[in-house]
């Protein structure tokens, strides 16, 4: 059990740290577009249209948000109404994490995947691309990030539930990410 939650936590942590670099890429691309357009009056940048570069910012932004949801949950950075959670005992917090992950988050992840699947599958069947002629021809990859969101978030819900269940059974849980929440 310990190996399972450590593997899931490690996966989401590595993915989150990797896709964080997408933010820098978005800023650099936007800066290059502004300089190319307003300083050099150019509509193209590195032999690609400015529309292609603008769409790449949207793709990076979407991939960042969808891929980092599990990372955000792992690091307790999600939005939570913690009026009761913050002041609750460790045992109550563990029960909340266990029940919340199993009864709420996992079904929501399943619902997201179930509702996105037909659209993603159709997009892949048609190799859907941009509606603009000079845009990025990989819209099917962008749409696939919705399934990635559901998978990574569901995995993190399983990890959170496992850690809570193990703590409720009085087992030692090595969770370096949990220590961060006490810094508030």
């Amino acid at each position: 059990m310990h190996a399972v939650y450590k593997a899931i936590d490690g996966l989401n942590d590595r993915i989150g740290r990797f896709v964080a670099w997408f933010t820098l890429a978005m800023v650099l691309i936007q800066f290059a577009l502004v300089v190319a357009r307003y300083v050099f009056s150019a509509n193209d940048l590195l032999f690609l249209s400015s529309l292609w570069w603008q769409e790449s910012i949207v793709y990076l932004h979407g991939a960042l948000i969808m891929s980092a949801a599990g990372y955000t949950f792992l690091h307790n950075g999600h939005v939570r109404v913690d009026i009761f959670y913050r002041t609750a005992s460790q045992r109550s917090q563990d029960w909340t994490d266990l029940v919340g992950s199993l009864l709420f988050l996992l079904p929501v992840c399943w619902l997201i995947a179930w509702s996105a699947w037909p659209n993603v599958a159709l997009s892949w069947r048609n190799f859907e691309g941009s509606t603009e002629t000079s845009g990025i021809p990989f819209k099917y990859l962008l749409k696939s990030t919705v399934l990635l969101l559901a998978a990574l978030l569901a995995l993190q819900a399983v990890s959170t539930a496992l850690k809570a269940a193990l703590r409720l059974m009085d087992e030692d849980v090595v969770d370096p990410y949990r220590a961060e929440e006490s810094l508030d």
Side-chain angles (χ1 to χ4, degrees):
M1 293 298 226
H2 294 278
V4 173
Y5 77 75
K6 286 178 183 178
I8 293 169
D9 289 355
L11 174 71
N12 269 320
D13 190 59
R14 282 189 301 279
I15 289 172
R17 290 181 190 281
F18 174 75
V19 298
W21 288 100
F22 290 6
T23 306
L24 178 62
M26 289 185 294
V27 169
L28 293 175
I29 293 168
Q30 188 63 58
F31 177 76
L33 280 172
V34 169
V35 169
R37 182 176 294 153
Y38 295 108
V39 174
F40 299 108
S41 299
N43 288 330
D44 294 345
L45 183 64
L46 299 174
F47 308 107
L48 293 169
S49 72
S50 61
L51 177 66
W52 193 94
W53 288 106
Q54 289 171 340
E55 283 189 6
S56 73
I57 294 169
V58 172
Y59 276 54
L60 286 168
H61 190 243
L64 170 68
I65 290 171
M66 297 298 187
S67 302
Y71 173 86
T72 304
F73 186 44
L74 168 65
H75 288 274
N76 206 23
H78 59 286
V79 176
R80 172 178 30 211
V81 180
D82 61 351
I83 297 168
F84 304 108
Y85 189 86
R86 181 178 288 175
T87 58
S89 68
Q90 179 65 52
R91 194 156 183 82
S92 295
Q93 288 180 357
D94 289 335
W95 275 110
T96 302
D97 288 343
L98 180 63
V99 171
S101 294
L102 296 178
L103 295 182
F104 296 108
L105 187 53
L106 282 175
V108 166
C109 291
W110 178 84
L111 182 63
I112 290 170
W114 177 77
S115 62
W117 178 257
N119 196 1
V120 173
L122 179 63
S123 188
W124 270 89
R125 245 190 321 277
N126 298 328
F127 292 110
E128 184 179 6
S130 175
T131 55
E132 303 294 331
T133 55
S134 61
I136 298 177
F138 304 115
K139 191 183 260 185
Y140 58 96
L141 292 175
L142 180 63
K143 287 185 176 184
S144 298
T145 62
V146 176
L147 297 177
L148 183 63
L149 160 89
L152 292 175
L153 204 51
L155 281 172
Q156 197 55 52
V158 167
S159 172
T160 300
L162 273 175
K163 289 183 281 190
L166 288 170
R167 280 191 297 268
L168 287 169
M169 293 186 295
D170 293 327
E171 287 198 36
D172 287 333
V173 174
V174 179
D175 190 2
Y177 309 106
R178 189 169 180 90
E180 292 177 2
E181 68 189 48
S182 64
L183 298 175
D184 288 344

